[in-house]
Amino acid sequence: MASGNVEKLELSFSAVPDKPKKDWVLMSLRVLAFLATASATLVMALNKQTKNFVVATIGTTPITVSITAKFHHTPAFIFFVIANGVASLHNLVMIGVDILGPRFDYKGLRFVLIAILDMMNLVLASAGDGAATFMSELGRNGNTHARWDKICDKFESYCNRGGAALIASFIAIILLLVTTVMSISKLKPKN
Amino acid sequence: MTKSKRVLISLILRLLAFGATVAAVVVMVTSHDSAQVLNLTFTAKYSNEPAFKYFVIAEGIASAYSLIVLFTSSQNSLRRLLLILDLVIAMLLSSSISAAVAIAHVGKKGNNHAGWLPICGQVPKFCDHVSGALVAGFIAAILYLLIVLSSMHFILNPLFL
């Protein structure tokens, strides 16, 4: 009988719960999403092109006017930069929380907060994307019905860089969607 | 929270979202106005602008999805799939409303740097109609956010029958 009790004690001491394994897939997805959103923000924020236009000719001297195209001339691009900036900040904070591990746990709300914040971020980033996409489409093709001329034939490198920022943002949205789905699937019901 | 209360809450939210998306589609599609400026007729329709066409298509997809989901019974195995689909539809709705608001802002205020003049002075009825559709679309996006949040809450606290 005494040996049976010792065996039971040993079994209960060996059943110590392991530390939760780090999820490397989620972490690498977050790093990629952070890189994508940060590059989209930077490329759009530093997007600027100056060009000289000949407006009139007086005698033999042409009068040139230099016009600059910057991202903050359009509210849609301002929103794009802000949304992607907030998304990259969120990804950075989430990477930090993942690395520091479960020390930051407040009554078990950690996974719920991560899932909710991921979802909010996804919605914000996709909103920024939608606005910037259609604004640049308007700049590229113009709109004959509203008499709005296209500007991309005059400011080509501005448009191309804006397009590159948009592509980076699309990649970021796909990565954010996969990350959100993964963090939602980690929610386990309270028993 | 009892099971009937949960079913009621999700039913009400989805019904409201269905109503909001259908309203957005209908109001946007029926918006048109024409003006005469110096013997030129200037017609404004929603289909002249790709952003508004995308808005109508996205809200149409969302309303069809809401209708289908209203008629399915909620089982535990389907609930996670529904949550993911709700997330995708919320993303779609938010990007469509944001694109439509961006283009409508150009139409209302113009853009000095690009030389784009505002058109709302010539076609005020069209502008008001489009603003109404945008309000409905915004409400639909917020409702879908609430649907996703409530689905997450229901997953976390399942009822053991």
Side-chain angles (χ1 to χ4, degrees):
Chain A
M1 191 110 106
S3 61
N5 279 345
V6 169
E7 271 175 2
K8 266 200 248 181
L9 269 174
E10 278 176 357
L11 273 174
S12 70
F13 271 127
S14 67
V16 172
D18 304 308
K19 269 169 57 168
K21 281 190 296 194
K22 272 198 204 288
D23 197 348
W24 291 112
V25 178
L26 192 60
M27 171 85 91
S28 56
L29 276 178
R30 280 202 204 275
V31 168
L32 284 174
F34 166 67
L35 289 173
T37 46
S39 63
T41 318
L42 282 176
V43 169
M44 186 59 96
L46 301 171
N47 200 4
K48 186 171 139 178
Q49 190 183 359
T50 317
K51 233 177 152 173
N52 293 323
F53 290 101
V54 176
V55 176
T57 326
I58 297 187
T60 49
T61 49
I63 301 180
T64 57
V65 163
S66 86
I67 303 183
T68 320
K70 290 193 211 165
F71 84 96
H72 64 78
H73 289 166
T74 319
F77 288 158
I78 298 178
F79 180 51
F80 177 79
V81 165
I82 292 179
N84 275 7
V86 167
S88 57
L89 222 73
H90 162 89
N91 279 327
L92 202 59
V93 166
M94 287 302 158
I95 292 174
V97 164
D98 262 344
I99 288 180
L100 290 175
R103 269 190 291 158
F104 287 97
D105 204 357
Y106 183 71
K107 292 184 195 165
L109 275 183
R110 183 164 153 255
F111 287 121
V112 177
L113 271 182
I114 289 181
I116 290 181
L117 282 177
D118 265 342
M119 183 196 72
M120 302 278 193
N121 228 359
L122 178 65
V123 167
L124 187 67
S126 75
D129 240 14
T133 308
F134 281 95
M135 189 56 90
S136 26
E137 195 270 343
L138 185 65
R140 188 170 277 281
N141 297 333
N143 191 330
T144 48
H145 303 273
R147 317 269 194 278
W148 291 333
D149 292 327
K150 55 178 142 177
I151 63 167
C152 269
D153 50 354
K154 304 186 194 83
F155 290 96
E156 268 205 41
S157 73
Y158 174 77
C159 280
N160 289 341
R161 267 179 285 181
L166 272 179
I167 290 178
S169 177
F170 286 146
I171 295 176
I173 280 193
I174 295 178
L175 289 170
L176 274 174
L177 180 62
V178 174
T179 311
T180 309
V181 166
M182 282 182 73
S183 39
I184 286 182
S185 69
K186 274 184 169 184
L187 294 173
K188 290 191 185 58
K190 287 191 282 212
N191 288 323
Chain B
M1 210 178 264
T2 61
K3 179 165 170 112
S4 58
K5 252 196 204 171
R6 288 189 173 202
V7 168
L8 193 66
I9 285 180
S10 79
L11 195 68
I12 286 180
L13 279 177
R14 287 193 195 274
L15 205 59
L16 284 176
F18 173 65
T21 47
V22 166
V25 170
V26 166
V27 172
M28 183 62 95
V29 167
T30 57
S31 66
H32 59 85
D33 196 7
S34 52
Q36 294 260 2
V37 177
L38 305 167
N39 280 345
L40 286 169
T41 17
F42 188 59
T43 40
K45 276 188 302 180
Y46 83 96
S47 53
N48 288 345
E49 182 51 64
F52 293 157
K53 278 193 281 193
Y54 173 59
F55 179 74
V56 165
I57 291 175
E59 300 277 344
I61 291 176
S63 58
Y65 170 78
S66 312
L67 192 61
I68 291 176
V69 165
L70 272 179
F71 287 126
T72 58
S73 63
S74 61
Q75 297 157 322
N76 269 333
S77 57
L78 271 183
R79 226 175 254 150
R80 294 215 177 215
L81 176 67
L82 273 186
L83 182 61
I84 294 175
L85 283 178
D86 280 337
L87 205 59
V88 170
I89 298 279
M91 211 171 81
L92 190 68
L93 281 183
S94 79
S95 82
S96 74
I97 183 70
S98 172
V101 166
I103 300 294
H105 180 270
V106 174
K108 197 173 185 76
K109 302 267 178 70
N111 194 328
N112 285 335
H113 304 274
W116 293 335
L117 297 171
I119 63 166
C120 269
Q122 283 116 26
V123 281
K125 242 180 26 154
F126 175 71
C127 274
D128 290 337
H129 240 99
V130 165
S131 319
L134 292 182
V135 166
F138 192 62
I139 293 178
I142 291 188
L143 279 170
Y144 256 98
L145 217 68
L146 287 176
I147 287 177
V148 172
L149 282 175
S150 72
S151 306
M152 261 199 256
H153 173 72
F154 294 160
I155 282 185
L156 276 185
N157 302 314
L159 301 161
F160 292 113
L161 293 168

